[in-house]
């Protein structure tokens, strides 16, 4: 078991050795995820187990973190806890991927080594919702503070279709 997580791994070699990698990773080390979170200094706790199922190399693991996302309703900070479990089978072609058992997702290996950071980042990105928002109605709380949401201060705008409405009423 290792506390420091390597960036590049050889999944076939690690599976032969039945290796276990465990440690923490900074969100800032994951480029695609960094742009989606408000706090890139948080840690991601990772545990990855390498094994063999028959002749196939299998990677399974757990990922735990709390992401600070932006609520898509009120645009305020939103703590999004994640506890993920994954199981991947290493395949070298799409034909092999089609023959996998149901409990494994395919991991296409096109070279010797893969990036562990990319693997972890992919799993996290798949688990983040498209439109994260609070579990409660967060809009009314901010409406009273923001004058742009005040219904009494709305300005009447000219409706471009008001001429059509008048024509409909008069029948011209």
């Amino acid at each position: 078991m290792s506390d420091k997580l390597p960036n590049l791994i050889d999944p076939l070699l690690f599976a032969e050795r039945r290796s276990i990698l465990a440690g923490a990773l900074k969100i800032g080390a994951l480029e695609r995820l960094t742009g989606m979170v408000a706090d890139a200094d948080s840690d991601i706790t990772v545990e990855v187990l390498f094994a063999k199922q028959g002749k196939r190399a299998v990677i399974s693991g757990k990922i735990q973190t709390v992401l600070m996302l932006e609520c898509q309703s009120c645009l305020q900070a939103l703590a999004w806890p994640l506890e993920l479990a994954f199981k991947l089978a290493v395949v070298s072609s799409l034909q092999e991927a089609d023959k996998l058992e149901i409990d494994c997702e395919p991991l296409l290996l096109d070279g010797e080594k893969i990036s562990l950071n990319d693997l972890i980042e992919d799993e996290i990105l798949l688990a983040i919702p498209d439109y994260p928002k609070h579990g409660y109605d967060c809009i009314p709380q901010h409406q009273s503070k923001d004058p742009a949401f005040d219904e009494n201060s709305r300005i009447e705008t000219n409706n471009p279709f008001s001429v059509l409405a008048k024509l409909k009423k008069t029948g011209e």
Side-chain angles (χ1 to χ4, degrees):
M1 189 145 114
S2 172
D3 288 335
K4 182 163 171 50
L5 297 172
N7 185 21
L8 293 176
I9 58 170
D10 182 352
L12 300 176
L13 179 65
F14 279 50
E16 286 292 328
R17 295 180 179 170
R18 306 224 184 317
S19 300
I20 299 173
L21 298 176
L25 184 65
K26 290 281 186 200
I27 290 177
L30 309 176
E31 292 177 21
R32 294 175 290 163
L33 186 61
T34 302
M36 299 177 71
V37 297
D39 181 18
D41 291 333
S42 299
D43 285 336
I44 301 169
T45 305
V46 179
E47 182 179 356
V48 184
L49 308 162
F50 298 86
K52 297 282 259 182
Q53 276 187 347
K55 294 181 180 181
R56 191 168 314 281
V58 176
I59 303 169
S60 60
K62 296 177 187 174
I63 301 170
Q64 293 179 335
T65 189
V66 176
L67 300 174
M68 291 306 293
L69 302 176
E70 184 178 81
C71 175
Q72 297 301 299
S73 294
C74 67
L75 302 178
Q76 300 298 316
L78 167 66
W80 195 268
L82 280 180
E83 273 192 49
L84 306 173
F86 63 92
K87 188 172 182 182
L88 306 169
V90 178
V91 296
S92 59
S93 68
L94 294 176
Q95 290 79 17
E96 281 184 57
D98 290 337
K99 297 176 185 176
L100 282 179
E101 297 96 32
I102 295 172
D103 67 336
C104 291
E105 293 291 322
L107 174 64
L108 188 61
L109 183 65
D110 55 358
E112 282 185 22
K113 295 187 177 191
I114 60 170
S115 171
L116 182 62
N117 289 0
D118 288 347
L119 182 97
I120 292 166
E121 187 174 26
D122 288 344
E123 293 297 323
I124 293 172
L125 289 173
L126 287 171
I128 294 176
D130 293 334
Y131 302 101
K133 56 185 181 176
H134 290 105
Y136 53 89
D137 190 16
C138 54
I139 296 293
Q141 294 175 356
H142 299 290
Q143 282 182 348
S144 60
K145 297 176 187 174
D146 192 352
F149 287 113
D150 188 15
E151 290 183 20
N152 297 330
S153 66
R154 286 191 183 179
I155 300 170
E156 280 295 318
T157 59
N158 289 333
N159 185 349
F161 299 105
S162 61
V163 174
L164 295 174
K166 289 177 188 175
L167 290 174
K168 185 177 177 183
K169 289 180 184 176
T170 60
E172 293 179 19

